[in-house]
Amino acid sequence: MAIPSNPVGTQAAWVLTEINGAPSEQAEFEGRFDPIMFEQMAVSDLQQVFEQLRAAAPWAPVAYEGTETQARVTIESPQVTYDMSVSVGDDGSMNGLFFGEPQGARTPAASWDELESQIEDAPYEVSIQVTESGADEPVRLMGESSLSPIGSVFKLWVLGAVVAAVDAGTLAWDDTVTIDAEVRSLPSGELQNLPDGSTVTVLDAAQKMIAISDNTGTDALIRAVGRDAVEAALVDMGHATPEVNTPFLTTREMFWMLFDDAALRERWASGDTAARDAVLAEIPAGVPSLANAAEVQPGWPEGVDWFATHDDIARAHVALQQKAQTAAGGPLRELLSANPGITFGDEWTHVAFKGGSSIGVLAGSWYLERDGAEPIVLTVLARADDAQTLTTNQTAVFGFIEDAAALIAAE
């Protein structure tokens, strides 16, 4: 089947060439994409997706529909079929690329029983919890409730530590943080592109940390408040087992262990708090090499991530909403609602969101308000032992949340 030679078709054809053969040079690869793509997904993560798809080659297009700037191409290999969604901007560079289940492969759940059945049948570990604000027990739990890797959802506790520092008078929203090699991290985000010595306000760093999950902004905030302050926020905001995140990792430290230094990763996995402190002390400034990114496997089984339960995350959201009623927490509601993650129905009057992903990890958390009912916290935690499973099932995982919200609204 021929792919049109229009702007989006040209890029779709290039992607097919990439996943069917040898990878292009780094500069050409990055040049094909609008920088906005890398605000939510690191370059290394996207390269890894391509490498995983090459393992299933050859790929052939079997269906195509689209306009000049958007297209959905169904691609097929001997092992699996995906829908490849591609979009381009005015300059022809890709500002969207996603591989997922073929359209229509998943039917939205019409009942809680159907949703639970779909969760149980998923080819990865996934659980969803519905919690009323301030309640001791969840309204619903589908899947197992256990301590799970959460990726960037950890930034909720960093935000809590910032508010505590503002409340204590040791930090102000209009204070500045400095970008340098000690905090520069890998994407997602955009602050990593600033030169050494650049400054941004605490508020700007916090906005980017939540809205586009900016890793460099996050690490700058952790340095500003101190690692111990974030560990204290875990306790203050109700995390039941804060010791599992002690010492508290920065994103840059996580990336070093994940992508560059297997020996540090092994020592982290087997070490107690003191041994882990020693590991972090050996991590150099700057960002790690991504030369072996395509071969990297999930780090969460070895403790290279951040960990929480559904209940921990629900309590963190409720704590932030309570802090939002204080003078120090004035910006919180706007910060947390800037990016809703997914689209919900109009019945929800306020949507606060923080998601997270890493290799083999996908998580999402929403604080939802509606008229005439208690606010609820919706959380989804998914993990896999391999690098590809969740990458290709992201639509389904977040589809579970959309179904849950719709079922709640219908009750």
Side-chain angles (χ1 to χ4, degrees):
M1 190 211 76
I3 293 178
S5 57
N6 58 20
V8 71
T10 299
Q11 294 288 31
W14 176 83
V15 173
L16 272 171
T17 300
E18 284 290 295
I19 63 177
N20 275 324
S24 295
E25 294 293 326
Q26 177 86 3
E28 180 181 352
F29 183 94
E30 293 183 356
R32 291 274 177 172
F33 295 91
D34 188 305
I36 196 172
M37 280 285 294
F38 305 122
E39 291 180 1
Q40 295 295 328
M41 187 179 200
V43 175
S44 59
D45 289 343
L46 188 55
Q47 289 176 310
Q48 187 173 60
V49 171
F50 276 40
E51 188 64 30
Q52 292 159 359
L53 290 167
R54 286 187 195 101
W59 292 94
V62 296
Y64 183 99
E65 62 178 69
T67 64
E68 291 287 304
T69 59
Q70 298 184 49
R72 187 177 72 249
V73 190
T74 302
I75 59 174
E76 188 177 80
S77 81
Q79 292 86 18
V80 67
T81 300
Y82 292 132
D83 271 355
M84 178 176 72
S85 298
V86 188
S87 63
V88 299
D90 292 340
D91 63 353
S93 64
M94 281 181 278
N95 55 25
L97 176 64
F98 181 75
F99 299 91
E101 297 174 335
Q103 192 176 64
R106 177 183 173 273
T107 302
S111 69
W112 290 109
D113 287 343
E114 284 187 20
L115 181 57
E116 187 161 16
S117 178
Q118 289 184 8
I119 288 171
E120 290 174 351
D121 292 341
Y124 41 84
E125 294 182 61
V126 59
S127 56
I128 285 180
Q129 184 166 300
V130 182
T131 309
E132 283 192 351
S133 176
D136 293 329
E137 297 293 332
V139 176
R140 292 187 184 274
L141 171 65
M142 288 156 284
E144 293 187 6
S145 177
S146 60
L147 201 66
S148 295
I150 59 173
S152 286
V153 174
F154 83 85
K155 293 167 185 176
L156 294 175
W157 287 280
V158 178
L159 187 59
V162 169
V163 177
V166 173
D167 185 55
T170 58
L171 195 68
W173 290 108
D174 58 359
D175 284 349
T176 59
V177 293
T178 301
I179 308 303
D180 56 30
E182 294 292 339
V183 299
R184 180 171 288 104
S185 188
L186 296 172
S188 54
E190 59 187 26
L191 294 181
Q192 74 280 353
N193 298 321
L194 296 179
D196 280 358
S198 300
T199 60
V200 296
T201 67
V202 169
L203 180 59
D204 192 26
Q207 288 171 331
K208 286 178 168 45
M209 175 176 72
I210 300 301
I212 61 173
S213 210
D214 195 293
N215 290 325
T216 296
T218 300
D219 288 2
L221 291 173
I222 293 175
R223 182 171 67 180
V225 299
R227 197 191 305 267
D228 57 345
V230 184
E231 293 167 357
L234 290 169
V235 178
D236 176 59
M237 295 165 66
H239 196 297
T241 54
E243 64 274 9
V244 301
N245 296 304
T246 305
F248 199 90
L249 282 172
T250 66
T251 68
R252 194 179 63 84
E253 291 163 344
M254 186 273 287
F255 286 132
W256 267 99
M257 286 189 281
L258 199 60
F259 290 120
D260 195 89
D261 200 322
L264 289 180
R265 177 169 166 167
E266 291 171 5
R267 286 169 53 199
W268 178 270
S270 61
D272 57 14
T273 299
R276 289 185 169 189
D277 280 331
V279 168
L280 297 186
E282 294 180 31
I283 292 178
V287 296
S289 167
L290 299 178
N292 299 316
E295 288 78 41
V296 171
Q297 290 302 307
W300 68 263
E302 299 164 289
V304 183
D305 207 285
W306 302 266
F307 296 85
T309 64
H310 290 283
D311 289 337
D312 294 329
I313 298 169
R315 286 190 289 266
H317 267 287
V318 172
L320 287 172
Q321 293 298 321
Q322 292 170 344
K323 290 176 183 291
Q325 306 308 311
T326 68
L332 286 182
R333 294 219 0 132
E334 184 176 351
L335 282 175
L336 288 162
S337 62
N339 173 11
I342 56 179
T343 301
F344 292 98
D346 293 338
E347 65 273 11
W348 302 107
T349 59
H350 178 77
V351 179
F353 165 72
K354 189 69 199 81
S357 64
S358 185
I359 300 172
V361 177
L362 186 60
S365 62
W366 293 261
Y367 181 94
L368 303 172
E369 293 178 356
R370 55 181 170 154
D371 293 335
E374 286 294 317
I376 63 167
V377 181
L378 265 177
T379 46
V380 59
L381 300 174
R383 63 191 186 190
D385 292 327
D386 65 276
Q388 184 178 4
T389 298
L390 290 177
T391 300
T392 55
N393 284 284
Q394 180 172 326
T395 298
V397 173
F398 285 95
F400 294 152
I401 285 291
E402 292 174 336
D403 292 354
L407 290 168
I408 293 166
E411 290 179 336

